[in-house]
Amino acid sequence: MKRHQDALFALEWRSYQPYLPLDAKSRLIWGATLLVLLAASLAFIGDSVSIESVFAFGAFLVALLSGYISMFQSLILWENGFREWWLTIPAPRRDLLRAMALAAMRMQAYAAFGIWLVCGLHGLVIAAMGTNPGEAITGTRLLGDWFAYGFLYAMLVPLFTAVGYLILGMYYGWRRWLVLPFFLVLMLPILSFAIVANPTEGVQRWLQPDAVFVCALIGSALAALLYRGMLAFVTRYGMTDLARHRPGGHAKASEGKRSETARSRFRVANGGFAAIYGLERARFRHFASLTLVRILYACACVLIGIGGYYVVRERSGALSLIQVMLILMAVVPALVLSTLTQFEANKRRIDWWLSLPYGRKSLLFARMAATWVSILTWMGGLFAAAAAGGALHGGGAFAREFEAGRDGMLLSFMVLTYLGGGLVINCILIGQSYAFRNRLVSWLYVPLVSGIYFVPLLVDKWILTDDKLQRGVGPTSWIWLGIAAAACVPLAVFCFNLGARWVHLYPFNTQKAGRRSCALRDTA
């Protein structure tokens, strides 16, 4: 790389350094996360599939992380306040894009290594237990899987990172229609989970180390071509669109239309709690109004509708689809809310937010309510699409076998369990700000936060079992749900109040604070 390219890469890589395991706290977070992933894989997967299928699950997870994180970074770049400054750096825009992509690939390589390590440890534990179905897990077999899938993971990182950044060139003009095949490519890993879990010989043959190694070789050539193609495509279209874009999404100079003055499209109340709720809600409404987001959402609705058409053939398939969507409704709001608060702290906007003439509880509750209403609204559209797809099939076996007493109570139990659990998870994560004050609490909170997203999966495995989905829930299940609510609601209220009291500590956990800590450690 040329000297200016090295400097650009160093600039981009600097933003990732606070997330690396370079100090005691970061190593704790990484270690706890990997242990939670290992525990989750042993609890939910265990010896139910072959070790090659476990490595294949890890490969899909690597692809999802690389693709969706780079896509998310591409989407927020349009509204980034440093976008114009970044574009005016005296260097070719192709080099700017290359530095950003390479830094993202390097960061994703750390995550891929962690997933690869977890899959290998999963194999070691299952081998030690001696319960793996089929052929025994020998040292030679595990070593072959480890090397072959390590090569595959190394190929998937640049391949899907390049795919994710392609969306930078699809924001305006005729290129918007490329979002549909783009979205389908990013959906491939999700759609393939069930395939690699199949124990049949035909599927397992493609998961063996020799076949995986050949696929990784072919994929490496494809990744190199796609990376170069992404640089050329985004440099020609995306970087020009970025330069013409005006934050707010109303000025469309890149489409040849007259630029208009950005104006508020979302009215809020004159004052009180409704005003701060309207302020928070406007953020999500603006995001949903972006044309690219609308196209992605329409693609998701079409895919869910197609899925609904086919899954209603069996009652169990329809219930599984409903369960998966409820799990997303339980987990996504908490993830969005915690990410949003940390993002605003990194952008130094949290000080302004806390200075608004409202109590901290009101500010946090308004943000949480706006997040939940937005996610429920979007998920409601997906549920409607799935229902429409099922209706086109005449309701299938789900409609013919539906019993109001059994299935009505079961669906009510599922909704209350997942959404109630999601609210509790949300409040517990809000209390994370206290961990910035107390080191002991921080050590306890890290594994808790890392594992809390697996709670809906625990519900799926031990509470809403296949037997309950088949026969329905009885009085005992409702009693246990009431006991869980009596225990979790006070905990949720306590964590919410604790988080509201110490939310002002978020600026001490920002990227800038992390870089300052790294600098102090280097000079020590």
Side-chain angles (χ1 to χ4, degrees):
M1 295 176 64
K2 298 178 181 179
R3 180 174 300 178
H4 75 276
Q5 293 174 345
D6 291 336
L8 292 174
F9 175 79
L11 176 67
E12 296 290 345
W13 179 242
R14 186 182 180 189
S15 63
Y16 292 102
Q17 288 180 339
Y19 304 109
L20 299 177
L22 301 177
D23 54 25
K25 181 179 179 181
S26 298
R27 285 191 290 270
L28 170 66
I29 293 175
W30 277 76
T33 302
L34 295 181
L35 286 176
V36 168
L37 285 176
L38 178 60
S41 69
L42 292 172
F44 299 120
I45 300 175
D47 58 358
S48 61
V49 298
S50 67
I51 184 59
E52 287 78 18
S53 293
V54 174
F55 274 104
F57 291 155
F60 293 144
L61 187 55
V62 169
L64 289 172
L65 286 174
S66 301
Y68 280 92
I69 290 178
S70 56
M71 182 188 72
F72 177 74
Q73 291 174 333
S74 300
L75 291 176
I76 65 174
L77 183 60
W78 296 89
E79 307 298 323
N80 194 313
F82 293 97
R83 173 181 54 87
E84 294 179 349
W85 168 84
W86 179 66
L87 290 172
T88 57
I89 293 177
R93 289 179 175 175
R94 184 185 181 94
D95 291 344
L96 296 177
L97 180 62
R98 180 190 292 111
M100 182 170 62
L102 290 178
M105 291 177 190
R106 183 176 176 182
M107 183 63 201
Q108 293 306 320
Y110 277 86
F113 175 78
I115 295 171
W116 175 73
L117 186 62
V118 168
C119 292
L121 293 175
H122 178 103
L124 287 174
V125 173
I126 297 300
M129 294 170 60
T131 58
N132 189 67
E135 184 182 352
I137 301 179
T138 62
T140 303
R141 178 186 177 187
L142 185 58
L143 198 60
D145 289 336
W146 223 337
F147 279 110
Y149 279 94
F151 185 24
L152 180 67
Y153 290 12
M155 177 274 294
L156 290 173
V157 168
L159 178 66
F160 276 86
T161 300
V163 170
Y165 278 116
L166 278 172
I167 202 170
L168 276 173
M170 304 176 190
Y171 208 82
Y172 286 118
W174 61 269
R175 300 176 304 280
R176 289 175 176 172
W177 298 106
L178 296 176
V179 172
L180 179 57
F182 166 86
F183 187 74
L184 291 175
V185 170
L186 284 184
M187 287 292 293
L188 285 177
I190 298 176
L191 300 175
S192 302
F193 272 98
I195 297 176
V196 300
N198 194 324
T200 59
E201 183 179 352
V203 173
Q204 292 298 315
R205 178 67 189 89
W206 284 99
L207 302 181
Q208 297 306 307
D210 53 349
V212 169
F213 188 80
V214 172
C215 292
L217 279 176
I218 298 173
S220 299
L222 178 62
L225 291 174
L226 188 61
Y227 171 68
R228 292 181 178 275
M230 180 272 294
L231 290 179
F233 176 74
V234 176
T235 300
R236 180 175 179 180
Y237 297 108
M239 302 298 273
T240 302
D241 291 343
L242 271 174
R244 294 176 178 175
H245 178 74
R246 295 295 177 268
H250 304 293
K252 300 183 179 179
S254 64
E255 297 186 29
K257 299 181 180 180
R258 178 179 296 181
S259 175
E260 300 177 2
T261 303
R263 60 185 181 275
S264 174
R265 299 172 58 191
F266 311 116
R267 297 180 180 179
V268 298
N270 293 328
F273 177 81
I276 54 175
Y277 170 77
L279 176 67
E280 298 290 346
R281 184 80 171 91
R283 180 203 315 273
F284 295 98
R285 295 175 68 184
H286 165 68
F287 178 76
S289 70
L290 299 176
T291 303
L292 190 61
V293 175
R294 289 181 177 180
I295 294 175
L296 288 172
Y297 185 71
C299 294
C301 288
V302 171
L303 290 175
I304 290 294
I306 295 173
Y309 179 84
Y310 286 103
V311 300
V312 294
R313 294 178 177 180
E314 297 181 0
R315 176 178 175 274
S316 59
L319 288 175
S320 296
L321 179 61
I322 294 172
Q323 197 170 10
V324 168
M325 296 178 70
L326 286 174
I327 289 175
L328 291 176
M329 293 175 69
V331 173
V332 171
L335 181 62
V336 170
L337 187 63
S338 58
T339 303
L340 178 62
T341 304
Q342 187 60 60
F343 178 78
E344 292 214 334
N346 289 334
K347 297 300 180 182
R348 303 181 67 180
R349 289 199 292 260
I350 197 169
D351 297 336
W352 168 84
W353 180 64
L354 290 173
S355 67
L356 293 175
Y358 298 93
R360 294 180 182 178
K361 293 181 182 179
S362 297
L363 291 173
L364 272 176
F365 186 72
R367 175 163 291 181
M368 186 172 76
T371 302
W372 272 89
V373 169
S374 301
I375 299 298
L376 291 178
T377 301
W378 299 338
M379 293 300 297
L382 295 179
F383 269 109
L392 290 177
H393 200 276
F398 181 72
R400 291 193 303 269
E401 300 176 11
F402 186 86
E403 298 178 9
R406 179 193 64 182
D407 295 324
M409 294 295 286
L410 174 62
L411 292 175
S412 300
F413 185 86
M414 291 170 64
V415 170
L416 289 175
T417 300
Y418 284 115
L419 295 191
L423 286 170
V424 172
I425 291 173
N426 215 151
C427 292
I428 292 176
L429 291 181
I430 286 175
Q432 183 181 1
S433 57
Y434 182 73
F436 304 147
R437 179 178 183 270
N438 189 296
R439 184 178 295 273
L440 176 60
V441 174
S442 177
W443 281 68
L444 296 175
Y445 223 90
V446 167
L448 174 65
V449 172
S450 302
I452 206 167
Y453 293 109
F454 293 101
V455 170
L457 299 178
L458 294 174
V459 172
D460 180 27
K461 187 174 181 65
W462 287 310
I463 298 178
L464 283 169
T465 60
D466 292 339
D467 181 65
K468 286 187 172 61
L469 292 177
Q470 182 66 30
R471 301 182 181 182
V473 293
T476 304
S477 299
W478 286 102
I479 292 173
W480 279 110
L481 181 62
I483 294 173
C488 292
V489 169
L491 175 64
V493 173
F494 173 78
C495 290
F496 179 87
N497 292 333
L498 191 67
R501 180 178 180 182
W502 299 103
V503 69
H504 63 280
L505 295 181
Y506 263 97
F508 296 98
N509 193 53
T510 60
Q511 294 177 0
K512 184 177 180 180
R515 288 194 294 267
R516 185 165 55 246
S517 175
C518 291
L520 291 174
R521 185 183 63 248
D522 293 339
T523 57

